[in-house]
């Protein structure tokens, strides 16, 4: 039976609601491997495990003004940029690097690609490890062979690996790349549809198992959290000889697209839905989420608040100002709105905290850094209510910072933060959507990470090689990392493909990698002339003919 914590309270209309904190008491230390500052050629081999360094200093809970005990106030400026060494660049492997039949696709091309990446100084690769491929047929039966081959290949070229525990679905049936949840999980969802998220129209999302049943034995006797933990534990045992040496990072998938959020909008639409100003839908209508909401409402003595999510967004594509809930001065800022949004976001935080606890327990002492990813939902950032963030579970508005509690939770467990949209420019986005502000959103997320001294992993939302986009990534990386405070920043380039190895793109990417690693180069890259293209081509002529990624 799902119950609401007594800490989840809401004030009467005459008083402001208190801050609620759903906390788990266990906080485990995590060790991270120090990054080598020099690039090693492909012939380099590791002979010993790296030194480990605890991140127990800079603990915000030992400071006089504990940020976790203050309201989630908005902050508007970053501190003076510190100075430190450059930022490493990783490149994500093709999403279908391992095929649905369990084979490495385009094996020869991957060998050539990794060799090229190592040659130009890329730090490593990002490898998505799909739950739906590894534990496909039956529970607790894992097949890691292809991923072991990829890690061994990366090691042969001196590349590091960041492994993403991908507990979500990729694409939809009929897409060129469709990686569903494990077959046995889908069968459970067919038998019990409430394992999937649902909106008020009854539309169900099979991208990720509903967090409402996190700790219930609904997956053939195991809870979803147990299933994720067993998967990570088996990964640890299988790859133990690589951990802390070749595999230096683990990103824990926490929701659709691997991001800590609700599937308020289908993930395959997130690359373009901002153009249509889609509001998203609250995902709280499966019976497990409704049971939790109802219990909280009863505890508050407001039973009528527990029957479902807010009404007022009658059309996902309509102007938010035409809705009762999201408009300026709408019901999002009433006692009921604050109650619902607090419950909705706290449920997401609790889900993230459970996964943080499990990951830290499993990988402690292994020498890997652990990270989690946030979504870059920027297309209503210029409004008061931030509709698309609210429906995704981020209680972030013009009067409340929704990213501070997430950063606080990550800091408590020693989890690095990952965020996307680093290449996006307000000037460009506002041409089609004046309410959008990717730079404003990213600045706020960076402020939250900075407040809790979190290492930050940046990503681009799309593979773009124009000077403006690469300059923007350089600017944001220096904005966060360049300083005496030693804030760590790294960048995951999304992703390896045919366009990366185009002659001109490869030249720009090579220069970009060098500038990211150069701690003395604070200027962004300029337009390349013909001479620079020749100088930095690094064999792009061969690359263009060899690589066949599509």
């Amino acid at each position: 039976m799902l119950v609401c914590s007594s800490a989840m309270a809401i004030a009467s209309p005459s008083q402001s609601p208190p801050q609620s904190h759903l906390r788990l008491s266990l906080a485990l230390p995590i060790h991270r491997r120090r990054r080598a500052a020099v690039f090693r050629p492909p012939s380099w081999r590791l002979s010993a495990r790296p030194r480990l360094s605890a991140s127990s200093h800079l603990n915000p809970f030992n400071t006089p003004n504990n940020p976790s005990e203050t309201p989630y106030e908005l902050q508007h400026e970053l501190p003076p940029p510190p100075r430190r060494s450059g930022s490493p660049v990783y490149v994500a492997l093709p999403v279908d690097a391992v095929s649905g039949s369990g084979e490495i696709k385009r094996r020869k091309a991957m060998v050539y690609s990794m060799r090229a990446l190592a040659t130009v100084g890329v730090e490593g690769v990002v490898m998505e490890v799909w739950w739906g491929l590894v534990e496909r047929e039956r529970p607790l039966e894992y097949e890691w062979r292809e991923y072991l081959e990829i890690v061994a290949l990366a090691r042969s070229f001196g590349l590091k690996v960041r492994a993403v525990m991908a507990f979500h679905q990729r694409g939809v049936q009929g897409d060129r790349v469709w990686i569903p949840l494990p077959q046995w999980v889908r069968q459970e969802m067919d038998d019990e549809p409430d394992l999937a998220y649902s909106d008020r129209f009854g539309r169900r999302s099979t991208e990720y198992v509903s967090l409402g049943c996190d700790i219930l034995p609904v997956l053939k006797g195991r809870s979803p959290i147990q299933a994720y933990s067993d998967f990570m534990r088996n990964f640890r045992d299988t790859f133990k000889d690589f951990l802390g040496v070749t595999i230096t990072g683990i990103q824990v998938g926490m929701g659709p697209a691997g991001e800590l959020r609700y599937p308020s909008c289908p993930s395959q639409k997130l690359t373009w839905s901002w153009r249509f100003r889609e509001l998203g839908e609250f995902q709280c209508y499966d019976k497990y989420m409704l049971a939790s909401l109802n219990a909280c409402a009863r505890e508050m003595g407001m039973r009528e608040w527990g029957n479902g999510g807010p009404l007022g967004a009658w059309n996902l594509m309509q102007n938010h100002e035409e809705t009762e809930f999201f408009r300026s001065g709408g019901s999002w800022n009433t006692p009921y709105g604050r109650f619902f949004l607090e419950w909705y976001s706290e449920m997401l935080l609790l889900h993230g905290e459970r996964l943080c606890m499990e990951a830290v327990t499993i990988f402690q002492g292994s020498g890997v850094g652990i990270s989690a990813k946030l979504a870059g939902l920027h297309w209503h950032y210029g409004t008061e209510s931030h509709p698309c963030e609210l429906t995704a579970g981020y209680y972030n508005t013009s009067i409340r910072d929704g990213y501070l509690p997430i950063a606080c939770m990550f800091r408590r467990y020693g989890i690095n933060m990952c965020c996307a949209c680093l290449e996006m420019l307000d000037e460009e986005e506002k041409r089609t959507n004046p309410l959008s502000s990717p730079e404003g959103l990213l600045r706020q997320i960076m402020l939250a990470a900075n407040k809790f001294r979190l290492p930050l992993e940046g990503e681009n939302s799309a593979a773009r090689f124009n000077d403006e986009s690469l300059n923007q990534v350089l600017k944001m990386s220096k904005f966060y990392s360049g300083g005496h405070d030693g804030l760590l920043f790294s960048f995951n380039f999304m992703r390896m493909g045919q366009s990366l190895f185009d002659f001109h793109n490869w030249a720009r990417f090579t220069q970009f990698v060098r500038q990211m690693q150069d701690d003395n180069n604070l200027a962004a890259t300029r337009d390349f002339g013909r001479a620079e293209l020749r100088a930095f081509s690094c064999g792009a002529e061969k690359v263009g003919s060899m690589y066949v990624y599509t």
Side-chain angles (χ1 to χ4, degrees):
M1 178 179 180
L2 295 176
V3 296
C4 178
S5 167
S6 59
M8 175 64 73
I10 186 165
S12 65
S14 61
Q15 59 184 152
S16 60
Q19 301 297 334
S20 64
H21 300 277
L22 289 176
R23 305 290 185 209
L24 298 180
S25 60
L26 179 60
L28 299 174
I30 182 169
H31 296 78
R32 293 186 182 81
R33 178 172 178 254
R34 296 187 183 186
R35 173 184 168 269
V38 296
F39 168 69
R40 292 158 170 94
S43 60
W44 175 71
R45 295 291 185 272
L46 287 160
S47 59
R49 298 181 72 84
R51 292 179 298 168
L52 304 177
S53 60
S55 58
S56 57
H57 65 297
L58 299 175
N59 184 348
F61 300 100
N62 294 331
T63 59
N65 298 317
N66 183 349
S68 70
E69 294 178 356
T70 62
Y72 305 139
E73 73 277 9
L74 292 172
Q75 301 176 54
H76 300 285
E77 294 182 3
L78 282 173
R83 285 194 50 80
R84 62 174 293 276
S85 59
S87 303
V89 176
Y90 293 75
V91 175
L93 298 179
V95 69
D96 59 344
V98 175
S99 69
S101 57
E103 298 177 350
I104 297 178
K105 297 185 68 174
R106 302 177 291 271
R107 187 186 303 266
K108 186 176 181 180
M110 186 172 294
V111 172
Y112 289 137
S113 300
M114 286 194 181
R115 179 181 296 149
L117 295 177
T119 300
V120 301
V122 167
E123 185 83 357
V125 295
V126 179
M127 177 183 73
E128 285 139 326
V129 183
W130 295 97
W131 186 29
L133 297 181
V134 175
E135 197 179 355
R136 176 178 12 209
E137 301 294 338
R138 285 173 291 276
L140 298 172
E141 292 186 9
Y142 307 96
E143 178 52 68
W144 303 104
R145 180 170 51 87
E146 292 75 19
Y147 292 109
L148 281 165
E149 290 184 34
I150 292 175
V151 173
L153 180 62
R155 181 174 65 177
S156 71
F157 290 111
L159 294 171
K160 299 172 184 175
V161 175
R162 284 179 170 170
V164 179
M165 304 289 102
F167 298 122
H168 59 281
Q169 171 180 288
R170 170 57 165 80
V172 295
Q173 193 166 11
D175 287 355
R176 186 181 67 83
V177 179
W178 177 51
I179 304 176
L181 298 181
Q183 182 177 338
W184 57 275
V185 174
R186 285 182 286 147
Q187 182 60 54
E188 292 294 301
M189 281 184 165
D190 290 341
D191 296 340
E192 175 54 282
D194 282 297
L195 297 184
Y197 287 107
S198 178
D199 65 18
R200 60 196 172 95
F201 300 111
R203 296 174 300 194
R204 297 193 180 274
S205 170
T206 58
E207 288 190 66
Y208 192 80
V209 179
S210 171
L211 63 81
C213 56
D214 263 357
I215 58 176
L216 302 177
V218 294
L219 298 180
K220 296 192 179 300
R222 292 186 297 165
S223 70
I225 294 296
Q226 287 175 322
Y228 305 146
S229 300
D230 289 339
F231 183 92
M232 290 190 287
R233 191 173 292 106
N234 197 270
F235 176 89
R236 178 202 63 191
D237 296 342
T238 303
F239 291 83
K240 61 181 182 299
D241 293 334
F242 296 99
L243 295 180
V245 181
T246 301
I247 300 175
T248 57
I250 300 291
Q251 186 179 113
V252 183
M254 295 187 172
E259 299 163 343
L260 180 62
R261 66 174 174 87
Y262 293 99
S264 54
C265 180
S267 295
Q268 66 269 21
K269 297 172 65 178
L270 287 181
T271 56
W272 52 266
S273 63
W274 58 269
R275 297 179 183 271
F276 302 98
R277 305 173 177 86
E278 187 159 339
L279 304 177
E281 271 291 340
F282 292 108
Q283 304 292 310
C284 60
Y285 289 86
D286 65 79
K287 69 180 183 182
Y288 303 105
M289 293 291 285
L290 283 175
S292 174
L293 177 61
N294 188 263
C296 284
R298 286 201 313 269
E299 185 172 307
M300 306 316 303
M302 303 295 291
R303 289 177 176 268
E304 64 274 20
W305 289 356
N307 296 323
L311 300 178
W314 303 111
N315 186 328
L316 294 180
M317 310 295 278
Q318 76 185 99
N319 188 323
H320 73 284
E321 288 294 345
E322 298 172 357
T323 71
E324 179 63 29
F325 190 76
F326 295 121
R327 64 179 174 82
S328 299
S331 53
W332 61 272
N333 197 26
T334 63
Y336 164 70
R338 291 190 290 270
F339 160 78
F340 175 82
L341 293 172
E342 184 110 339
W343 166 81
Y344 193 64
S345 61
E346 287 286 358
M347 288 289 285
L348 186 67
L349 272 173
L350 184 58
H351 173 70
E353 189 143 14
R354 286 166 175 155
L355 281 170
C356 287
M357 181 189 298
E358 294 296 329
V360 168
T361 301
I362 292 167
F363 291 106
Q364 64 174 325
S366 65
V368 301
I370 303 175
S371 65
K373 185 178 178 182
L374 302 185
L377 305 175
H378 56 82
W379 46 93
H380 292 111
Y381 193 79
T383 69
E384 288 187 9
S385 62
H386 297 214
C388 58
E389 292 171 80
L390 296 186
T391 55
Y394 303 142
Y395 189 1
N396 189 57
T397 68
S398 60
I399 58 175
R400 187 184 192 276
D401 193 325
Y403 298 102
L404 280 177
I406 298 175
C408 178
M409 182 258 290
F410 286 168
R411 179 64 182 88
R412 186 160 56 255
Y413 291 96
I415 305 295
N416 302 345
M417 182 182 288
C418 180
C419 59
C421 303
L422 260 76
E423 87 287 8
M424 286 189 168
L425 296 163
D426 279 2
E427 180 182 3
E428 181 177 316
E429 300 303 312
K430 288 179 181 293
R431 293 171 190 166
T432 51
N433 181 8
L435 299 177
S436 174
S437 180
E439 292 184 60
L441 174 64
L442 187 58
R443 188 178 300 112
Q444 184 180 354
I445 292 175
M446 284 186 164
L447 281 168
N450 178 280
K451 189 175 184 71
F452 291 97
R453 323 307 295 162
L454 297 178
L456 192 69
E457 298 174 12
E459 289 185 3
N460 51 322
S461 58
R464 303 176 66 185
F465 299 92
N466 59 300
D467 294 330
E468 292 77 14
S469 297
L470 296 178
N471 282 346
Q472 183 67 7
V473 175
L474 286 164
K475 172 185 172 182
M476 298 312 292
S477 70
K478 302 301 181 185
F479 198 43
Y480 190 74
S481 68
H484 65 277
D485 288 336
L487 287 173
L488 299 179
F489 181 90
S490 58
F491 184 71
N492 301 330
F493 181 84
M494 297 289 163
R495 66 182 63 239
M496 183 191 294
Q498 186 175 12
S499 61
L500 173 62
F501 299 104
D502 171 81
F503 178 83
H504 293 82
N505 292 346
W506 182 247
R508 288 186 170 89
F509 178 75
T510 299
Q511 174 70 348
F512 166 74
V513 171
R514 295 180 180 183
Q515 288 189 293
M516 287 287 287
Q517 294 175 337
D518 184 1
D519 59 337
N520 295 315
N521 187 1
L522 298 181
T525 181
R526 298 290 181 254
D527 291 339
F528 286 101
R530 203 171 284 274
E532 286 84 358
L533 284 173
R534 284 196 297 271
F536 294 112
S537 62
C538 294
E541 299 92 339
K542 285 187 176 182
V543 170
S545 62
M546 282 183 183
Y547 297 103
V548 293
Y549 288 120
T550 58

